[in-house]
Amino acid sequence: MDNQTLVDALMLGLLEGLTEFIPVSSTGHILLAGHFLGFESTGKAFEILIQLGAILAILTVYAGRLLKIAADLPSSPRARRFVIGVLVAFLPAAVIGVAAHGFIKTVLFETPKLICVMLLLGGVVLLWIDRIQLKPKYHDVMDFPLSLCLKIGLFQCLAMIPGTSRSGSTIVGALLMGTDKRSAAEFSFFLAMPTMAGAFAYDLFKNRDVLSAADLPVIGVGFVAAFLAAVIVVRYLLDYVSRHGYALFAWWRMIVGAVGLAALFIWG
């Protein structure tokens, strides 16, 4: 391992943390950046395992609220319904993720042009959603009915295609189903916890025979960088989208997708 590999891991970790919770596809950004940097991780595990840093960022920022929900579980039907709702939303991705794991990692993760196209298409959809006049019925994630949670979970499955964006899919789905912009982003935060933790655990299990001690420094650097960057994003994202919406992220997706396609055409 050389210093350049660690620098690449640092850059990719920061990119993961900055993009995981905004609707621009962190995996798509990391895979594209890794492609042009020539970064190769064992079993494509780095791109998944550093997401643990982003998970811990949510746990850190939301620690007080999570503890309150846990304390309320024995006595509050509202708290129990919320937790069940998050688990219901998680189930579709869990089933499809396990069933299609090999195809996702060996085919979709290895197709940079597909990632760029999905970034472009997702940007168009996000810009359209941000501009149409939707009338939200739900303003608090604690009050989402289980049927709504399941529908958001089905939308999350679209993010199996890198470049689509897990947060983008859940946010668009939530907005279409009647949530406001802030609660859509917040539910995406909560849904990220079991989804990303599950992806981390399953990918670690699947790569247990190919990962070695030599991979730990690279993953560790990416993990720490992702954690620090994600803390900043989680702290400020909800207030930003409440005031400004998602147009900035839509344009960012389209620019990155277009530049990526041009770069692939020129350099391959």
Side-chain angles (χ1 to χ4, degrees):
M1 182 197 313
D2 55 26
N3 290 334
Q4 185 59 47
T5 301
L6 293 177
V7 171
D8 290 346
L10 175 64
M11 293 171 58
L12 294 174
L14 289 172
L15 191 59
E16 157 65 26
L18 291 172
T19 58
E20 179 59 51
F21 300 112
I22 60 177
V24 299
S25 180
S26 61
T27 302
H29 277 67
I30 292 172
L31 290 173
L32 281 179
H35 174 80
F36 290 115
L37 289 171
F39 180 86
E40 291 289 339
S41 67
T42 304
K44 289 292 183 183
F46 173 88
E47 290 82 352
I48 302 298
L49 298 184
I50 64 170
Q51 291 181 351
L52 181 61
I55 300 171
L56 293 181
I58 302 181
L59 294 176
T60 300
V61 175
Y62 275 73
R65 186 157 182 193
L66 291 170
L67 289 173
K68 185 179 186 308
I69 292 171
D72 289 345
L73 282 176
S75 59
S76 171
R78 189 167 180 250
R80 289 195 294 271
R81 183 182 63 184
F82 170 71
V83 172
I84 293 171
V86 172
L87 295 177
V88 166
F90 161 67
L91 283 177
V95 173
I96 295 176
V98 170
H101 180 268
F103 177 74
I104 293 168
K105 293 295 289 291
T106 60
V107 178
L108 298 183
F109 271 36
E110 300 289 348
T111 314
K113 289 181 181 178
L114 173 64
I115 296 171
C116 292
V117 170
M118 295 310 298
L119 284 170
L120 281 166
L121 292 178
V124 172
V125 172
L126 194 61
L127 192 61
W128 171 70
I129 288 291
D130 196 61
R131 290 184 173 182
I132 62 176
Q133 296 298 316
L134 296 170
K135 296 181 179 179
K137 297 181 291 184
Y138 307 103
H139 303 274
D140 190 331
V141 293
M142 298 294 292
D143 297 325
F144 284 11
L146 296 183
S147 59
L148 172 60
C149 296
L150 177 59
K151 292 172 184 176
I152 295 173
L154 291 172
F155 268 91
Q156 181 176 236
C157 295
L158 295 172
M160 301 294 174
I161 305 171
T164 304
S165 171
R166 185 204 59 79
S167 59
S169 298
T170 55
I171 287 170
V172 167
L175 291 173
L176 288 174
M177 295 300 115
T179 75
D180 66 6
K181 292 176 180 178
R182 184 184 181 92
S183 64
E186 189 170 40
F187 190 80
S188 179
F189 285 174
F190 282 108
L191 182 53
M193 297 180 200
T195 301
M196 294 164 62
F200 172 88
Y202 188 70
D203 209 82
L204 185 62
F205 172 75
K206 294 292 286 186
N207 286 285
R208 66 191 184 281
D209 295 327
V210 296
L211 289 172
S212 66
D215 297 303
L216 294 180
V218 177
I219 294 172
V221 168
F223 163 84
V224 173
F227 170 78
L228 295 175
V231 166
I232 296 172
V233 173
V234 173
R235 285 190 182 278
Y236 298 106
L237 180 63
L238 292 183
D239 288 337
Y240 177 86
V241 298
S242 297
R243 295 194 302 268
H244 305 290
Y246 297 102
L248 174 64
F249 308 122
W251 286 112
W252 175 259
R253 290 179 63 108
M254 290 187 282
I255 290 170
V256 172
V259 171
L261 282 176
L264 288 170
F265 178 76
I266 295 172
W267 292 294

